[in-house]
Amino acid sequence: MFIITVSRQTASGGDEVAELLAEKLGVELISREYVINNWLPEVTNKHQLHMLKESPKFYNKQSQTGETFAEYIENRLKEKTAEDSFIILGLGSQIIFATTPAALHVRIIASEKSRIQKLQKNYGLQKEQAERSLELSDRKHRKYVWRIYEQDWSEPHLYHLCVNMDGFAVEEAVNQIIYLQEQHKNRPGSRPLKQTGTEQETEDEDKNENNRVFAHPSEKEFAQILNMHNIEWEFEPTEFPLEWDAEGNISLGFRPDFYLTQHDTYIELTTLKQEYVTEKNKKVRLLQKLYPEVNIKIVYKKDFQSIIERFGV
Amino acid sequence: MNTDKIGKIILSQKQIAEKIKKMAARIEDDYQEKNPIMVSILKSSIYFLSDLTREMSISLNIDFLGIERYAAADNRGQIHLEKNLELSIDGRHVIIVDAIINTGLTHSYLIKNLQPRSPASLKICTLIENTEKRLVNLPISYRGFTFTDPDIFVIGYGLDYEENYRHLPYIAEFNKD
């Protein structure tokens, strides 16, 4: 049995490395998302689960089992890894399994420049927005490990291998990690690794890019009105990270419907039910707070009808 | 004309006149010796343009633009200039004059249309701007009144509802119900 723990800086490519590692090695990936969906609901109520998604501090609170939530996760991880091999992404696992002989601890980093570029590309953010998002996310990552284990997650001695992803493909990094794991397969408790193929990823990404369509007829109508006025637009080009989970992963994002390129303005149409409007308003307020330089306008149902009345043909 | 539809008076004749005097004075200061072309958007700005320019003593020209929206063969909305400018604006200082700016979509279109004609400058003057309805950024240099109610619909002083009420000397709320 083996464990590979993967710690990563935001937008360094660490998530992709962990996913591909799990896929190639044919083992399960345990991430924060996995823990939140599969383990924590057993010992939390709705409020506690919400707090655990948001606050690193809350992991030191006592759960129904008498343990703190952090201890509960740690024990579940230990139980699970006693039976089989796993890739563990985050969760302070480099510290939980620091002395486990069969564990290999990997840290994935990348230059700030390339991480900002990645956030810009993935979420369509402006440079200043990406810098801000990175700052907030890194802060959360650091805070989680510090609050629970009182250790600085960036300390090199916590890891066997640190991979700088600058100019390094995900597959190259994964191959290096597998090679290192192979070299140590004779450790007590460890066993040879099996590999499985991976071919689907890039194909799926292209498919998503090409299949972009309007989700609602109002979006199509609005696009036609913009075209009519020769206003250049992009559809949903940017997703703004709005909230991060306790570990620093983006847990809530907001992708406004339109970006008017020449006016540097985002437009969100809220022509649906009132319950969605409240949610959208909340997101817009949060966006304006986190990214004050972003221009965003909401078009409510009534506004939209009036625009259609005036400009629709 | 159905007078029941005329609601509360938002801007009286006096308020409009006083504001226009101030706007005219500002424009005069900015355009001394520049001989601007005041471009009126038909039909809503006719009263505003005539009152505004009559308060000004600098040299200026007046021209009109008319916009038409129609459905093309493929049923897509189209917009074009039904009435184009008669004067050349090449190298001239141009002020687009309108009574109200809501979304700004039309004015954005006009700027795109006029900018390639190489004016020396291109600015917008509006009697009313509804900031809550604005969707696009515009170079509005002169504004008389600012509305912040996204639901308000006004008539009078050039503004219509189905081509009625333009001739009211004041600006009033329109009762749709």
Side-chain angles (χ1 to χ4, degrees):
Chain A
M1 275 173 287
F2 68 88
I3 302 163
I4 301 177
T5 72
V6 180
S7 164
R8 80 294 195 201
Q9 288 183 313
T10 303
S12 61
D15 290 61
E16 293 89 334
V17 166
E19 281 164 22
L20 189 56
L21 258 179
E23 194 175 334
K24 280 199 164 203
L25 298 174
V27 299
E28 201 171 358
L29 171 67
I30 301 177
S31 62
R32 172 155 307 278
E33 197 182 355
Y34 177 95
V35 168
I36 284 173
N37 292 333
N38 297 288
W39 294 351
L40 289 176
E42 294 172 14
V43 291
T44 55
N45 57 33
K46 204 176 165 188
H47 167 70
Q48 287 171 325
L49 193 59
H50 172 76
M51 290 306 293
L52 289 165
K53 284 179 186 173
E54 304 290 324
S55 163
K57 208 172 160 183
F58 210 81
Y59 282 80
N60 285 327
K61 301 253 183 212
Q62 202 170 45
S63 72
Q64 296 164 9
T65 62
E67 311 151 292
T68 64
F69 290 107
E71 285 165 349
Y72 171 74
I73 293 170
E74 186 173 331
N75 290 334
R76 286 295 298 262
L77 279 172
K78 284 178 177 168
E79 277 169 29
K80 200 148 172 86
T81 52
E83 298 160 6
D84 216 338
S85 299
F86 290 96
I87 308 297
I88 307 173
L89 179 64
L91 298 165
S93 53
Q94 74 275 44
I95 297 161
I96 296 171
F97 297 102
T99 56
T100 306
L104 177 71
H105 304 298
V106 180
R107 179 162 169 77
I108 306 295
I109 63 165
S111 66
E112 194 172 291
K113 188 181 166 193
S114 72
R115 295 195 294 142
I116 288 169
Q117 282 171 349
K118 190 173 175 189
L119 280 179
Q120 286 183 263
K121 190 181 164 202
N122 288 359
Y123 295 96
L125 298 172
Q126 301 291 319
K127 189 166 178 276
E128 299 72 31
Q129 297 158 359
E131 284 170 348
R132 174 77 174 140
S133 171
L134 199 64
E135 184 194 335
L136 294 168
S137 193
D138 277 348
R139 200 185 296 163
K140 280 245 183 183
H141 269 292
R142 192 177 298 116
K143 210 186 264 182
Y144 177 80
V145 177
W146 179 255
R147 276 202 181 274
I148 296 163
Y149 301 105
E150 295 183 349
Q151 297 232 31
D152 180 354
W153 72 321
S154 64
E155 279 291 334
H157 72 260
L158 295 174
Y159 309 97
H160 294 110
L161 176 70
C162 180
V163 183
N164 180 354
M165 294 296 287
D166 284 3
F168 219 25
V170 171
E171 183 133 18
E172 286 178 288
V174 167
N175 289 340
Q176 291 302 313
I177 297 166
I178 290 174
Y179 174 77
L180 189 60
Q181 177 66 19
E182 285 281 357
Q183 298 305 302
H184 290 262
K185 67 185 175 188
N186 292 327
R187 282 181 178 184
S190 67
R191 68 182 183 199
L193 311 175
K194 60 172 180 171
Q195 295 197 14
T196 57
T198 63
E199 287 172 357
Q200 199 58 38
E201 268 188 349
T202 41
E203 206 181 312
D204 284 349
E205 276 172 20
D206 291 341
K207 200 170 139 192
N208 289 338
E209 192 61 31
N210 293 335
N211 283 357
R212 184 174 287 173
V213 288
F214 295 114
H216 195 269
S218 60
E219 292 165 350
K220 192 178 170 188
E221 280 185 276
F222 192 75
Q224 284 172 351
I225 285 168
L226 293 175
N227 288 341
M228 178 177 168
H229 290 87
N230 286 344
I231 293 172
E232 289 171 18
W233 54 271
E234 292 173 18
F235 185 62
E236 296 187 338
T238 309
E239 180 168 11
F240 293 93
L242 297 180
E243 287 177 0
W244 293 260
D245 65 21
E247 204 186 35
N249 307 305
I250 295 163
S251 57
L252 180 69
F254 180 46
R255 192 182 281 275
D257 296 319
F258 290 90
Y259 176 58
L260 312 185
T261 50
Q262 290 169 326
H263 296 278
D264 187 23
T265 298
Y266 291 88
I267 305 277
E268 175 66 12
L269 303 180
T270 57
T271 56
L272 301 169
K273 291 176 183 171
Q274 186 58 37
E275 60 193 275
Y276 298 122
V277 175
T278 311
E279 181 64 23
K280 280 191 182 182
N281 282 341
K282 185 188 156 199
K283 285 185 174 181
V284 168
R285 277 198 301 275
L286 208 48
L287 187 149
Q288 287 170 328
K289 190 177 160 195
L290 292 170
Y291 308 95
E293 74 288 356
V294 171
N295 296 317
I296 181 157
K297 311 269 184 187
I298 306 180
V299 176
Y300 295 98
K301 194 171 182 176
K302 207 181 275 183
D303 303 332
F304 183 75
Q305 281 164 347
S306 139
I307 290 170
I308 292 294
E309 258 176 47
R310 184 164 161 75
F311 300 121
V313 289
Chain B
M1 186 172 69
N2 183 354
T3 52
D4 292 346
K5 296 285 182 187
I6 303 171
K8 182 183 159 193
I9 294 178
I10 307 284
L11 297 169
S12 68
Q13 261 180 287
K14 191 179 171 212
Q15 282 173 303
I16 294 170
E18 283 173 358
K19 185 63 78 177
I20 286 175
K21 268 188 187 175
K22 286 180 187 167
M23 293 175 81
R26 274 195 57 210
I27 296 171
E28 274 198 325
D29 284 349
D30 294 346
Y31 287 85
Q32 291 288 339
E33 312 294 329
K34 289 186 177 171
N35 191 27
I37 302 181
M38 312 287 280
V39 174
S40 164
I41 312 299
L42 295 171
K43 304 174 199 170
S44 60
S45 66
I46 48 167
Y47 296 111
F48 179 43
L49 177 89
S50 50
D51 287 346
L52 182 72
T53 51
R54 283 181 298 164
E55 290 291 340
M56 293 161 63
S57 54
I58 57 166
S59 171
L60 58 84
N61 299 132
I62 289 172
D63 209 338
F64 296 91
L65 274 177
I67 294 167
E68 186 191 30
R69 297 178 186 85
Y70 64 100
D74 61 359
N75 212 28
R76 281 169 188 262
Q78 295 290 328
I79 186 168
H80 84 137
L81 294 183
E82 186 186 37
K83 156 83 181 72
N84 209 336
L85 295 177
E86 290 170 12
L87 302 172
S88 164
I89 61 168
D90 187 2
R92 300 286 304 274
H93 295 279
V94 175
I95 305 173
I96 297 172
V97 179
D98 208 348
I100 192 163
I101 294 179
N102 287 312
T103 62
L105 292 173
T106 304
H107 302 85
S108 167
Y109 171 82
L110 287 176
I111 284 174
K112 273 202 170 178
N113 188 289
L114 297 181
Q115 201 75 64
R117 304 187 199 186
S118 308
S121 68
L122 185 56
K123 291 184 177 176
I124 296 175
C125 170
T126 181
L127 182 63
I128 300 164
E129 180 197 14
N130 192 328
T131 52
E132 287 304 302
K133 288 187 180 180
R134 280 284 295 286
L135 295 180
V136 294
N137 299 321
L138 293 171
I140 302 176
S141 304
Y142 308 98
R143 55 174 68 73
F145 302 96
T146 302
F147 288 176
T148 54
D149 179 354
D151 298 327
I152 196 166
F153 187 92
V154 290
I155 50 171
Y157 201 66
L159 301 170
D160 74 309
Y161 178 74
E162 294 181 349
E163 290 301 325
N164 293 310
Y165 311 104
R166 287 193 197 275
H167 63 294
L168 297 176
Y170 49 81
I171 291 176
E173 207 166 341
F174 179 69
N175 296 327
K176 270 192 175 177
D177 304 324

